[in-house]
Amino acid sequence: MANCSRVKRIKSMGSNPNNSFEVVNPPADSVSSLSFSSKGNYLVATSWDNQVKCWEVLQSGENVEKASISHDQPVLCSTWKDDGATVFSGGCDKQVKMWSLMSGDQTVTVGMHDAPIKEVAWIPELNVLVSGSWDKMLRYWDTRQSNPVHTQQLPDRCYALDIQHPLMVVGTANQNLIVYNLQHPQNEFKRITSLLDHQARCVAAFPDKQGFLVGSIAGMVGVHHLDDSQHSKNFTFRCHREGNKIYSVNSLNFHPVHHTFASAGSDGAFNFWDKDSKRNLKAMLRCSQPITCSTFNNDGSIFAYAVCYDWSKGAENHNPSTAKTYIFLHRPQEADVKRRPRPGTGGKK
């Protein structure tokens, strides 16, 4: 991405330099995942204080905490069922919990793993939930029964997962990238050698299902196409770096309308990109702490991101008096997220 590695790095200006709306009553510890309902502006956050919290976000940007539940140990992931009212979460207690917002704080354990659960995703086309764990397993759950309907062995611990049916991409330890066709989930569709030299931390499937993004701990993003004939379109670019300082890419999210994408990292920055024109669309002001996770709402009008300590510098650099947890809601301008013509195409995209 010719001009992406030259994004001007703007120095930190506090916890909320972009004047985003602040979510009320955030978790007491670092946020591990954020997810919006597909049916409305309901935001769920999971965190290391064992909590799963839900807020309703109003058009004004104001927000109201609606409900919360607890796990027995830190919670690492969340997703919504396509009914827009049911939340799934998983974490270090090795449980997949299901929570209907209509039921208050009542939960049902729908699945178990033998190690912490890092990723969960609902697959409406199959009416099942998939969970990925550090026990090196993918498990598929029909919420009406206690045993998984399918179990898939992974080459290593699951670190990242994303779905655009029928495409599912899984990133594991030791830089494995495994692609599945969910019409035949019992077989690997393709195992890909990452374009990146360091461990993958997040993945995002293309909205057109033709490939995926992968972000690494070394401040790099790789753009992979599945079709071998499109191999020449694969590339990598630097993003979350500042001089010789290298920061992890913690989150990648495609815009649901324009199909551009956002990256967020441990440098406290989030940026908007167009992979097709290889452009940086907008570099936002850096926050004073890392951004651990982020997500768009269903129409792309709100970008939610969590600002908190990510433990990448260890416990010795954690200062509880200054490391407050924030969740912010940013309303991107259309020009910041809309695709732009490729250079030299005469306005054609």
Side-chain angles (χ1 to χ4, degrees):
M1 201 173 268
N3 56 349
C4 286
S5 61
R6 297 196 293 271
V7 175
K8 184 179 179 181
R9 276 286 153 251
I10 306 169
K11 290 187 177 180
S12 166
M13 297 178 62
S15 298
N16 187 16
N18 297 293
N19 297 317
S20 303
F21 292 99
E22 186 174 344
V23 170
V24 299
N25 195 22
D29 206 339
S30 297
V31 178
S32 52
S33 78
L34 291 168
S35 53
F36 267 108
S37 167
S38 63
K39 302 295 186 183
N41 287 333
Y42 291 90
L43 176 68
V44 154
T46 63
S47 59
W48 285 82
D49 62 0
N50 306 358
Q51 297 293 302
V52 183
K53 290 191 170 189
C54 178
W55 296 264
E56 181 180 8
V57 180
L58 308 179
Q59 285 298 320
S60 64
E62 296 179 358
N63 50 88
V64 179
E65 184 178 353
K66 300 296 289 184
S68 64
I69 62 165
S70 296
H71 279 245
D72 297 330
Q73 293 185 41
V75 195
L76 303 180
C77 53
S78 59
T79 193
W80 289 79
K81 194 175 181 181
D82 56 332
D83 64 3
T86 304
V87 177
F88 299 96
S89 53
C92 294
D93 59 6
K94 309 173 190 177
Q95 299 181 59
V96 179
K97 289 192 174 185
M98 181 174 65
W99 171 37
S100 171
L101 296 184
M102 306 302 176
S103 66
D105 59 358
Q106 300 300 307
T107 65
V108 176
T109 298
V110 298
M112 294 288 296
H113 277 266
D114 297 325
I117 298 164
K118 179 59 175 64
E119 297 288 345
V120 287
W122 178 254
I123 310 172
E125 294 84 357
L126 303 179
N127 202 36
V128 299
L129 180 82
V130 62
S131 55
S133 168
W134 293 344
D135 65 5
K136 306 179 184 180
M137 292 287 182
L138 292 175
R139 289 180 176 163
Y140 297 78
W141 307 95
D142 182 329
T143 59
R144 298 166 297 183
Q145 60 187 66
S146 58
N147 293 321
V149 295
H150 176 62
T151 297
Q152 186 73 27
Q153 179 73 50
L154 293 171
D156 216 313
R157 291 156 290 166
C158 177
Y159 282 175
L161 182 152
D162 194 36
I163 294 174
Q164 287 284 351
H165 189 271
L167 169 64
M168 181 171 73
V169 184
V170 181
T172 76
N174 293 317
Q175 298 172 255
N176 295 293
L177 294 168
I178 305 101
V179 178
Y180 294 92
N181 178 348
L182 289 174
Q183 295 169 335
H184 308 283
Q186 66 276 14
N187 300 313
E188 288 186 13
F189 176 74
K190 184 177 286 191
R191 193 176 295 197
I192 294 175
T193 301
S194 176
L195 297 172
L196 308 179
D197 294 330
H198 295 82
Q199 178 62 53
R201 187 162 177 85
C202 51
V203 295
F206 293 178
D208 65 6
K209 310 167 188 179
Q210 299 303 303
F212 60 92
L213 307 174
V214 55
S216 81
I217 61 172
M220 297 282 291
V221 171
V223 180
H224 288 263
H225 293 79
L226 295 178
D227 191 332
D228 292 339
S229 67
Q230 302 292 309
H231 186 266
S232 62
K233 294 183 178 180
N234 295 345
F235 63 95
T236 65
F237 65 96
R238 298 181 180 92
C239 47
H240 294 276
R241 296 188 173 196
E242 181 186 15
N244 293 325
K245 295 181 180 179
I246 298 173
Y247 299 90
S248 172
V249 181
N250 292 331
S251 188
L252 294 166
N253 310 107
F254 275 100
H255 192 278
V257 176
H258 298 299
H259 297 172
T260 53
F261 71 93
S263 69
S266 290
D267 58 347
F270 65 96
N271 303 308
F272 300 116
W273 311 88
D274 182 350
K275 69 175 177 61
D276 296 322
S277 63
K278 298 185 178 181
R279 289 178 180 270
N280 172 241
L281 301 176
K282 181 72 173 180
M284 306 303 296
L285 295 172
R286 290 178 56 197
C287 303
S288 57
Q289 295 186 91
I291 298 176
T292 56
C293 52
S294 58
T295 190
F296 284 105
N297 69 338
N298 63 341
D299 64 5
S301 63
I302 301 172
F303 180 72
Y305 60 102
V307 176
C308 48
Y309 191 60
D310 66 355
W311 300 95
S312 60
K313 295 183 178 180
E316 63 273 16
N317 287 290
H318 179 245
N319 185 344
S321 64
T322 59
K324 182 184 174 183
T325 295
Y326 300 90
I327 300 174
F328 293 119
L329 305 169
H330 174 74
R331 288 193 174 275
Q333 299 295 312
E334 186 174 23
D336 297 343
V337 293
K338 189 174 182 179
R339 297 173 64 188
R340 297 180 188 173
R342 298 176 186 172
T345 60
K348 296 180 181 179
K349 294 185 178 179

